[in-house]
Amino acid sequence: MLARRIAYRSSMFVVAIASVVALWELYKVVGPQDGGKLFGVSILPRANDTAMPHIWSMLSRYGRPEVRGSDTKIWSVVLSGAFFSLRLSLVGFFLGTTIGVGLAVLMSRFRVVQRGLLPYLVMSQTVPLIALAPLVVSWGGKLEIGSFVWPRWLSASILGTFLAFFPIAVGTLRGLASAPAAALELMESYAASWKQTLFKLKFPAAVPYMVPALKLGASGSVIGVVVAEISTGLKGGIGRLIIEYAREATGDPAKVFTAVFGAAALGITMSGLVALSDVVLMRNRPKESST
Amino acid sequence: MSALEVLAASKIFNQGTTKQVDALVDVSLTVQPGEFVSLIGPSGCGKSTLLRLIANLLEPTTGSVSVNKKTAAQARLDRDYGMAFQQAGLFDWRTVSKNIELPLELKGWEKSRRETRAKEMLELVKLPEFADLYPWQLSGGMQQRIAIARALASHPPLLLMDEPFGALDEMTREYMQGELLRICGETSTTVVFVTHSIPEAVYLSNRVVVMSPRPGRITKVIEVGLGATRNEDTRAAEGFFKGITAVREALRGTHAEHAAANAVRGVEDR
Ligand SMILES: Nc1ncnc2c1ncn2[C@@H]1O[C@H](COP(=O)(O)OP(=O)(O)OP(=O)(O)O)[C@@H](O)[C@H]1O
Ligand SMILES: [Mg+2]
């Protein structure tokens, strides 16, 4: 049952990738080499090898050195960059989960908090990340608590947190409110404390809502970290590699795509971790009849 | 000493607003220990409201409720109630035996003691082999039996049930009625039972309380003399049919009254 679901999901994944590859190569065959223009406005991307390298040249680029004459192959640079960013994303994700779940519990406990806080949370998500990144870096740089010195990478994680906590808070809040009235009444008739009701009823009832929220949060934390790396120029991560390689796009067009795929792999890894928790948390729940 | 005493209790929702509902007016009811009492009446006559007052899930607007000489609030804090509703309301994420253990966990019982009791309760409801399954793997009737086991797990002195068999088919329903009587007999539990079914009320009860709506009140209390032991033959006994007729007539009275009240209102509206 479980094996079949995993097999089904991974085959869908392969099909999705294959169709993207096919579309890409198809466009290279039929698309205009110098892009399509309508009244002087370019609306179709250029299909030439500089703008859209062949998939196989991107893949073969992984096997060649990062810079001419160097010994380090590009795959190892991209891999360690992705791993660096993965660690930052994980930190951001865990902070985001803690804050998101904490806020949700507070908001479900006190209606006042919910009414006062929720609009601000929604508004916070409209602040453009690019504008926020340098601010967080400079605030972090000024922060000193005892012997604790704010490391630069933490700012990138914090931006991941910033994108992650919101869907988690909203999803958890909805989940906590999803406990049926009859079940709440049952707990009340047993004179259950607030804490008992929270842990024995509300949280378990919230799990089906929290899992998709955590998935959103995971991809949010990756986006936050990568954008922060790009906009603050933090060294070591996949975001930095993307801007560096993009500068060489005319001479070595396949290079930037190696880093872009690295970022994609990073996102998939994070989602995979959450999907794993999905399988574990939902293993004893009623299954939908579909596949 | 009475197990339950409701004294001149009223419940008025949204008092003083245009949405005011006199859900219960001046209701008094005394239930003896070990007695089985059914509440029956047309929809909206306040049966569930009365049950909630007894369980201290609602406060009466006036009047009082006492359970074993305690206030209802104290009785709830002492976990004197077992409750079961139309929907079994088992927790999907707990196994059958963990569901039964829930009230015991809330009381702070130790694990081994909880497990022993859960096993006993599963024997009692005749589903011992289902301990480690999840509720959604059971039929509706089995789920309802587990819900009853949960309600009785801590041996509460007072069991409150709101149409617990309403969602079951006729065959399962009659079977469950027999089971409930057996279980309550074995544990000498006092029961207040809400139902819409006249035969069910008569079959199960020592007394049937007939209620009428607008405002919700008790119109008649019917003693059913069916004796302590009831079985399938009881359903063919003369006393059973007499009881059914008596309850039906009492209900028809409330219905006629109700219709008349509506007719009068209809005239006023015109
Ligand atoms: N929380 C509430 N707020 C306002 N009115 C309520 C509330 N609960 C119940 N009522 C009203 O009180 C009256 C009695 O409701 P109650 O649920 O006790 O009826 P019932 O006899 O259980 O009906 P049924 O047989 O349909 O379950 C109804 O008119 C209902 O609308
Ligand atoms: Mg009701």
Side-chain angles (χ1 to χ4, degrees):
Chain A
M1 195 56 208
L2 189 64
R4 242 182 61 199
R5 255 178 55 201
I6 291 174
Y8 175 78
R9 280 205 197 173
S10 17
S11 66
M12 286 313 282
F13 182 70
V14 171
V15 168
I17 298 267
S19 29
V20 170
V21 170
L23 272 177
W24 180 273
E25 292 296 336
L26 181 72
Y27 185 79
K28 281 187 64 67
V29 174
V30 302
Q33 283 296 302
D34 294 314
K37 281 199 175 150
L38 198 64
F39 308 119
V41 184
S42 56
I43 51 167
L44 287 175
R46 275 172 258 208
N48 61 34
D49 284 350
T50 320
M52 291 178 68
H54 283 291
I55 300 287
W56 49 85
S57 52
M58 299 175 196
L59 292 183
S60 66
R61 186 67 188 82
Y62 276 108
R64 299 208 308 276
E66 187 191 17
V67 286
R68 205 180 308 263
S70 144
D71 277 345
T72 36
K73 298 273 198 297
I74 205 163
W75 65 263
S76 76
V77 179
V78 169
L79 194 68
S80 68
F83 191 66
F84 180 88
S85 302
L86 177 67
R87 285 198 330 243
L88 299 198
S89 305
L90 281 175
V91 171
F93 178 62
F94 282 120
L95 283 176
T97 306
T98 314
I99 294 173
V101 171
L103 284 175
V105 169
L106 261 179
M107 286 191 288
S108 88
R109 178 81 170 92
F110 305 104
R111 277 211 86 75
V112 209
V113 178
Q114 179 173 341
R115 251 190 268 135
L117 199 60
L118 205 51
Y120 288 100
L121 295 188
V122 174
M123 237 152 49
S124 77
Q125 297 300 300
T126 64
V127 177
L129 203 59
I130 302 276
L132 211 59
L135 275 181
V136 173
V137 173
S138 76
W139 288 335
K142 288 183 196 121
L143 206 69
E144 258 193 62
I145 307 158
S147 59
F148 175 78
V149 184
W150 185 270
R152 262 176 72 89
W153 62 262
L154 194 51
S155 303
S157 286
I158 293 296
L159 285 163
T161 304
F162 177 76
L163 285 196
F165 92 94
F166 180 72
I168 294 173
V170 172
T172 307
L173 182 61
R174 273 194 54 196
L176 291 175
S178 77
L184 288 168
E185 205 162 59
L186 185 83
M187 294 301 273
E188 209 184 327
S189 79
Y190 290 135
S193 68
W194 174 76
K195 223 170 102 186
Q196 285 174 322
T197 307
L198 182 68
F199 286 107
K200 291 187 194 294
L201 171 61
K202 288 190 171 184
F203 264 127
V207 166
Y209 293 81
M210 287 174 72
V211 167
L214 289 175
K215 282 181 186 159
L216 286 177
S219 47
S221 76
V222 171
I223 294 172
V225 164
V226 171
V227 169
E229 284 174 352
I230 290 177
S231 62
T232 66
L234 183 72
K235 275 196 198 116
I238 197 80
R240 173 72 175 229
L241 289 183
I242 291 178
I243 33 171
E244 276 179 10
Y245 294 177
R247 290 199 198 102
E248 304 168 38
T250 33
D252 193 353
K255 195 173 183 183
V256 66
F257 286 96
T258 62
V260 169
F261 292 155
L266 167 65
I268 291 168
T269 310
M270 283 292 283
S271 313
L273 288 178
V274 178
L276 210 66
S277 76
D278 179 4
V279 171
V280 173
L281 287 171
M282 297 295 286
R283 71 189 181 287
N284 290 324
R285 300 297 181 113
K287 311 276 185 293
E288 320 106 292
S289 44
S290 72
T291 39
Chain B
M1 191 187 86
S2 57
L4 166 67
E5 193 156 13
V6 181
L7 257 185
S10 302
K11 181 69 197 180
I12 302 177
F13 289 110
N14 310 316
Q15 195 163 23
T17 70
T18 52
K19 287 189 290 177
Q20 176 168 335
V21 180
D22 297 5
L24 285 176
V25 171
D26 195 23
V27 168
S28 295
L29 178 67
T30 307
V31 179
Q32 299 307 320
E35 203 181 5
F36 198 118
V37 171
S38 288
L39 309 179
I40 198 167
S43 187
C45 68
K47 303 181 293 293
S48 301
T49 304
L50 179 52
L51 213 66
R52 285 192 170 81
L53 285 188
I54 296 172
N56 190 237
L57 296 172
L58 289 173
E59 285 291 337
T61 312
T62 60
S64 69
V65 177
S66 59
V67 175
N68 294 325
K69 296 274 171 270
K70 291 183 279 195
T71 63
Q74 189 56 45
R76 184 166 68 91
L77 290 177
D78 291 348
R79 275 115 173 169
D80 282 350
Y81 299 113
M83 292 202 80
F85 303 95
Q86 178 165 5
Q87 301 303 326
L90 301 173
F91 291 0
D92 272 345
W93 51 90
R94 282 173 171 251
T95 61
V96 161
S97 78
K98 287 277 175 203
N99 262 290
I100 297 175
E101 286 177 35
L102 176 73
L104 310 177
E105 278 176 31
L106 296 173
K107 281 181 97 167
W109 283 26
E110 272 170 28
K111 191 166 189 269
S112 59
R113 192 169 165 218
R114 288 199 313 254
E115 284 171 350
T116 319
R117 178 60 64 82
K119 209 175 261 171
E120 277 170 34
M121 298 314 295
L122 279 167
E123 299 280 348
L124 196 67
V125 296
K126 301 224 171 87
L127 292 170
E129 66 274 37
F130 294 95
D132 296 322
L133 291 187
Y134 285 86
W136 42 273
Q137 297 170 315
L138 306 184
S139 75
M142 290 173 173
Q143 290 184 20
Q144 202 54 259
R145 270 190 277 173
I146 301 300
I148 292 171
R150 175 178 66 187
L152 289 172
S154 64
H155 293 173
L158 187 56
L159 179 60
L160 305 174
M161 305 179 96
D162 197 343
E163 299 182 46
F165 306 146
L168 304 181
D169 66 86
E170 199 55 34
M171 296 299 292
T172 317
R173 194 169 176 148
E174 289 193 355
Y175 172 73
M176 293 296 295
Q177 291 166 6
E179 290 294 289
L180 180 62
L181 279 185
R182 176 180 65 77
I183 293 166
C184 292
E186 283 175 29
T187 53
S188 61
T189 309
T190 312
V191 188
V192 180
F193 188 97
V194 172
T195 179
H196 274 137
S197 157
I198 300 172
E200 181 167 88
V202 173
Y203 182 75
L204 290 173
S205 314
N206 303 111
R207 280 187 296 154
V208 178
V209 174
V210 179
M211 297 176 66
S212 83
R214 268 172 276 239
R217 68 212 126 102
I218 295 178
T219 46
K220 196 155 190 184
V221 178
I222 293 161
E223 296 268 353
V224 183
L226 281 178
T229 50
R230 296 165 197 216
N231 48 37
E232 283 317 298
D233 296 337
T234 312
R235 293 186 201 277
E238 201 191 331
F240 182 59
F241 290 113
K242 264 194 185 157
I244 288 184
T245 311
V247 174
R248 183 166 290 144
E249 265 164 14
L251 276 171
R252 198 168 288 151
T254 76
H255 208 80
E257 218 176 281
H258 190 179
N262 275 346
V264 169
R265 192 173 311 135
V267 170
E268 281 172 356
D269 283 349
R270 245 174 270 147

